[in-house]
Amino acid sequence: MFLANFKKVSSRLEPWWKISDFDDSVGDIKLIWEQSRMNWVIAFAQRARNGDGDSLKRLNYWLSDWIKNNPPYLGHNWKCGQEVSIRVIHLCVAALILGQEKDSLLGLQELIRLHLHRIAPTIHYAIAQNNNHGISEAAALFIGGSCLDVCGASDGENYEKLGRKWLDNRASKLIEEDGSFSQYSLNYHRMVLDTFSIAEIWRKRLSRDKFSPSLYDRVRRASSWLYQMICPKSGHGPNLGANDGSHLLQLTDSCYRDLRPSVQLASNLFEERLAYADIGLWDIHLAWMGIENKKTTPLKYLNCNYDSGGYKVLRSNVAYVIFRYPKFRYRPSQADAMHIDLWVNGKNLLVDAGSYSYNTNPGLSDYFNGTASHNTVQFDDRDQMPKLGRFLFGSWLKTKQVSPIKISDSHISTSASYRDFKGAEHFREVYIDNHSLNTIDKIKGFKKNAVIRWRLTNSKWILKSIKSGVQISNGLHKLSVTSDTPILRADIVDGWKSLYYMKKEKIPVLEVEVGFASTISSEFTWAK
């Protein structure tokens, strides 16, 4: 999906440490890294295992060509320790598929050793980031090191021990007690879950000692978290946080946004139960990895208080809501406090924008990371937190008040509030029943204006005035917004949504602006 944006880099190969992550002549460096993640080795291995003899020849030819054009530690593809680690993981998954994990060829052993020699010296840099990088690099050291060790190499054991140490450490530190992950991102949560799944599969196949009990406990919780977040009909989920399209374990031809294969695999490995009882593409990971399909009852879908990570999941009949509020122990990547995602009958009706690209023009970068790309209130045309750099926010928000989920005969509700670095305050109460979503937003402390946004699906929405507010409808769904102070402006404007990295599309957004402290009520109703 990145070919349209492909750029060539200079044929002159610099040592990796001299290369910038952000070079305007190159653009987004991820477009260079993507093809060298070697996810293609898995596809070749699958075809070879299914009897295509030429696929193994092509795999070896591609690897030889890659090695020739990417000499050790020179050029962009050696720049990032995580990118190097992803190659190790993909090479070892291919070895699993081909049944070569205990008897790897000398050439593969040497290629893995070169990669581990690049990862190990900078592992502490990856660990310091408190994100998926440290987990990927630890997994590569464990998997690659044990591969070398089982083949008789003298240096494999030290790499394996180092990787094991950091896998245990990262699971305990970066996965919260409620299963939330430090990056506050659905796509990175999936990537981390896949990484731990691959490490556990590899451990079992090589009969290595188990990881720590804490690792299994935290990864089990992370598996349950992702299960509760995604829609069982499509496997898609809210576009929360950074989303660069990373997909570590591509064993099916399903869309990368379908997270069910990853959840089914992790549920079997760490919870010893099915996530999905029906047979589907989500079972293919189990078959390729030789994992027994646990014939146990799937978890129930629940109302979830994920208070360590700052999420609530509210369910009512055919609908569910994800409510995001500020609870940051680690660096937030988006100013998305009080965002609401609404899903009805498997469709995402109130949407998050995503993140689009790590290296685009400042206007787009600020938009996708900022408050304006979320279903929340923006004060004085600024973000909820000040931007300190490309990926950094300062003055992290803190929740003033948060209530547990309350269930009554008529509805399910919760609430939260914050006060930002300039004194603006936002209290949001959320209600959901069998046919509508209602929010009450109490706002104050801003200087000139506040804008509430509702980011909609592409459709023909008609706007009209009603008493104390406005109403829009597309014939199936209706959204009414009223205020106890005069509304200065109400418009349907163009916004952006990015479901795939480096791809964006326009969507309609309802903006309602007020100029004074207000209580704003919104009601979204859907067709029965």
Side-chain angles (χ1 to χ4, degrees), residues 233-342:
K233 289 186 176 182
S234 64
H236 299 178
N239 204 8
L240 293 171
N243 182 0
D244 63 3
S246 294
H247 194 175
L248 189 63
L249 194 57
Q250 181 72 56
L251 295 172
T252 76
D253 60 358
S254 59
C255 170
Y256 96 91
R257 295 192 64 235
D258 185 351
L259 278 67
R260 289 172 296 183
S262 295
V263 173
Q264 185 80 312
L265 179 62
S267 182
N268 272 264
L269 284 170
F270 300 107
E271 300 185 65
E272 297 190 345
R273 69 191 306 154
L274 283 168
Y276 309 103
D278 296 335
I279 297 173
L281 281 175
W282 43 89
D283 294 315
I284 292 177
H285 279 47
L286 304 177
W288 279 109
M289 295 289 95
I291 304 300
E292 178 186 358
N293 198 335
K294 305 291 185 182
K295 301 296 183 181
T296 52
T297 305
L299 286 171
K300 291 182 178 180
Y301 287 100
L302 304 170
N303 295 296
C304 301
N305 286 296
Y306 293 132
D307 288 324
S308 297
Y311 311 92
K312 305 279 189 182
V313 182
L314 285 66
R315 302 185 186 278
S316 180
N317 196 8
V318 298
Y320 75 102
V321 164
I322 293 95
F323 177 39
R324 176 81 173 112
Y325 57 96
K327 199 71 177 290
F328 303 129
R329 196 155 70 96
Y330 297 98
R331 181 183 74 200
S333 65
Q334 296 200 342
D336 59 355
M338 306 302 175
H339 169 79
I340 286 176
D341 240 67
L342 172 65

Side-chain angles (χ1 to χ4, degrees), residues 57-69:
K57 295 178 182 177
R58 287 196 293 271
L59 170 56
N60 289 327
Y61 175 78
W62 280 40
L63 284 173
S64 297
D65 183 72
W66 188 92
I67 293 167
K68 176 183 177 182
N69 287 283

Side-chain angles (χ1 to χ4, degrees), residues 326-392:
K327 199 71 177 290
F328 303 129
R329 196 155 70 96
Y330 297 98
R331 181 183 74 200
S333 65
Q334 296 200 342
D336 59 355
M338 306 302 175
H339 169 79
I340 286 176
D341 240 67
L342 172 65
W343 293 73
V344 179
N345 287 316
K347 295 182 179 179
N348 192 188
L349 299 185
L350 295 174
V351 304
D352 192 319
S355 53
Y356 181 54
S357 171
Y358 296 148
N359 188 14
T360 184
N361 68 69
L364 280 176
S365 178
D366 290 346
Y367 174 82
F368 280 99
N369 292 336
T371 304
S373 65
H374 297 94
N375 295 313
T376 188
V377 176
Q378 182 178 27
F379 298 118
D380 296 327
D381 302 318
R382 58 176 170 77
D383 281 331
Q384 297 162 336
M385 298 172 284
K387 201 77 175 289
L388 301 182
R390 191 183 297 266
F391 301 118
L392 293 175

Side-chain angles (χ1 to χ4, degrees), residues 4-65:
N5 301 293
F6 177 76
K7 289 186 178 181
K8 289 186 176 181
V9 296
S10 171
S11 59
R12 181 168 173 257
L13 296 175
E14 296 278 359
W16 67 264
W17 61 88
K18 292 185 177 181
I19 298 171
S20 171
D21 285 334
F22 304 103
D23 183 345
D24 290 339
S25 67
V26 171
D28 195 326
I29 197 171
K30 188 177 183 295
L31 305 182
I32 298 168
W33 287 343
E34 188 72 24
Q35 301 307 315
S36 286
R37 287 186 165 186
M38 292 189 179
N39 54 344
W40 37 267
V41 305
I42 294 178
F44 280 133
Q46 287 176 303
R47 293 190 184 101
R49 180 169 154 182
N50 282 338
D52 182 355
D54 288 338
S55 286
L56 205 53
K57 295 178 182 177
R58 287 196 293 271
L59 170 56
N60 289 327
Y61 175 78
W62 280 40
L63 284 173
S64 297
D65 183 72

Side-chain angles (χ1 to χ4, degrees), residues 474-506:
N474 67 352
L476 289 175
H477 313 305
K478 183 170 62 177
L479 173 59
S480 303
V481 181
T482 60
S483 173
D484 66 349
T485 65
I487 290 176
L488 303 180
R489 176 179 63 87
D491 296 307
I492 299 175
V493 303
D494 286 338
W496 292 109
K497 176 177 72 172
S498 176
L499 296 178
Y500 303 92
Y501 197 67
M502 291 295 294
K503 290 187 177 182
K504 64 185 189 300
E505 60 178 295
K506 287 184 179 180

